[in-house]
């Protein structure tokens, strides 16, 4: 970023990120990329394929009005155990096929642009719920880490050992969030606090709760997802 920048938003975010250094060497690059994404400008492409995905406008799914929220319809669906997470010590790790692996605390994540949406959550077991989610776009988080040319998928690893893999385009969809709010309140632990996936483009089992790590990969591993490995469909698009 040049010193002659006149964007106060950019300066603020640069300072905020500087306060939560993710490592001296890569700080400038990380901030630069975030600022460029906030400003809506294309950086000099690292590579065509990932950059294409990062900036390709993806069709948003129509949202519901706030009045359509069904506060009691979201059924807690936890198959293993509910992990106990110390939010002070919590760190989100983004690693794998990225130029800049990052480790982010929650304060840093809360300072990133917040996205709110009212969408339908659909569980394959035959129920659905209209829910409002607030959180950070996964695309903004991946921008910080700068996926390499080889990046094609991302694994979302959860504190209860739940795991899911997604195609990168779905990760980068503007309505794919790591949510920390549900229906205007802080996300309850049973629903995946401090961070859970929310998106109108995937079935419920893709929407991992208690996400602590995003690992970008070029090839899917033999284990693709908690339910997928038991025969459920991998793409699971809505
Ligand atoms: N870590 C984790 N994530 C998970 C699950 C789980 O058991 N563990 N269940 C999935 C399923 S099948 C659904 S429908 C939703 C349910 O989200 P909720 O419990 O917030 O309603 O979480 C998904 N994400
Ligand atoms: Mo589900």
């Amino acid at each position: 970023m040049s010193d002659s920048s006149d964007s106060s938003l950019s300066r603020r975010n640069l300072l905020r990120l500087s306060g939560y250094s993710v490592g001296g060497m890569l700080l400038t690059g990380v901030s630069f990329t975030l600022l460029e994404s906030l400003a809506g400008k294309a950086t000099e492409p690292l590579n065509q394929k990932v950059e294409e995905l990062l900036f390709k406008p993806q069709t948003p799914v129509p949202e519901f009005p706030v009045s359509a929220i069904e506060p009691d319809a979201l059924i807690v669906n936890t198959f293993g155990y509910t992990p106990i997470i110390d939010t002070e010590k919590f760190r989100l790790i983004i690693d794998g096929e990225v130029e800049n692996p990052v480790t982010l605390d929650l304060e840093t994540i809360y300072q990133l642009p917040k996205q709110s949406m009212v969408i339908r959550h659909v569980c394959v077991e035959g129920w659905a719920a209209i829910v409002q989610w607030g959180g950070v776009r996964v695309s903004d988080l991946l921008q910080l880490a700068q996926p390499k040319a080889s990046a094609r998928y991302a694994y979302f690893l959860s504190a209860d050992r739940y795991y899911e893999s997604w195609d990168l385009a779905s990760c980068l969809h503007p309505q794919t969030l790591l949510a920390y709010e549900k229906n205007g309140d802080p996300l309850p632990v049973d629903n995946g606090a401090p961070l859970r996936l929310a998106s109108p483009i995937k079935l419920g089992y893709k929407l991992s709760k208690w996400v602590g790590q995003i690992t970008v990969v070029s090839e899917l591993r033999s284990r693709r997802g908690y339910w997928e490995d038991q025969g459920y469909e991998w793409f699971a698009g809505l």
Side-chain angles (χ1 to χ4, degrees):
M1 188 173 115
S2 89
D3 287 337
S4 60
S5 166
D6 58 2
S7 163
S8 59
L9 175 69
S10 297
R11 285 187 182 283
R12 251 203 325 275
N13 278 284
L14 179 64
L15 290 172
R16 282 174 178 174
L17 278 167
S18 305
Y20 299 93
S21 169
V22 287
M25 273 300 286
L26 47 90
L27 183 62
T28 310
V30 166
S31 304
F32 180 80
T33 305
L34 176 67
L35 299 177
E36 289 295 296
S37 82
L38 288 174
K41 288 182 275 175
T43 51
E44 186 67 11
L46 276 174
N47 63 79
Q48 205 48 46
K49 202 161 130 255
V50 175
E51 286 294 320
E52 248 172 47
L53 275 176
L54 282 168
F55 294 103
K56 189 171 83 181
Q58 297 191 60
T59 317
V61 176
E63 296 180 14
F64 296 87
V66 168
S67 59
I69 294 170
E70 301 166 316
D72 302 318
L74 187 71
I75 298 167
V76 170
N77 219 354
T78 299
F79 296 99
Y81 56 96
T82 302
I84 296 163
I85 296 172
D86 181 337
T87 52
E88 292 289 316
K89 291 187 184 143
F90 176 87
R91 299 290 183 273
L92 175 71
I93 294 167
I94 309 177
D95 63 1
E97 300 280 314
V98 295
E99 301 290 347
N100 292 319
V102 290
T103 300
L104 303 168
D105 61 21
L106 287 169
E107 282 310 312
T108 306
I109 289 167
Y110 298 154
Q111 285 169 4
L112 294 170
K114 181 163 120 187
Q115 184 78 13
S116 178
M117 63 183 183
V118 181
I119 60 151
R120 179 179 275 122
H121 175 102
V122 181
C123 177
V124 76
E125 292 175 304
W127 56 270
I130 295 176
V131 186
Q132 181 179 41
W133 303 106
V136 58
R137 283 179 174 166
V138 172
S139 65
D140 284 347
L141 293 168
L142 288 174
Q143 274 274 62
L144 292 175
Q146 299 185 15
K148 291 183 179 172
S150 52
R152 284 180 64 199
Y153 309 98
Y155 275 83
F156 295 92
L157 307 173
S158 299
D160 62 342
R161 300 202 200 112
Y162 197 87
Y163 55 98
E164 283 295 336
S165 57
W166 285 47
D167 61 288
L168 203 59
S170 294
C171 296
L172 297 171
H173 188 279
Q175 290 158 301
T176 296
L177 311 183
L178 270 185
Y180 48 80
E181 287 178 3
K182 183 190 90 172
N183 299 337
D185 293 321
L187 184 68
V189 168
D190 280 338
N191 299 114
L195 293 174
R196 65 92 46 80
L197 279 169
S199 178
I201 65 169
K202 295 285 186 191
L203 276 170
Y205 63 82
K206 299 299 279 190
L207 304 172
S208 301
K209 306 193 278 190
W210 310 296
V211 172
Q213 189 168 358
I214 304 175
T215 301
V216 176
V217 296
S218 53
E219 300 288 343
L220 287 178
R221 301 163 177 171
S222 58
R223 297 173 73 199
R224 294 174 305 153
Y226 183 90
W227 287 108
E228 291 85 335
D229 294 345
Q230 298 172 57
Y232 282 78
E233 200 215 338
W234 173 73
F235 193 75
L238 282 180

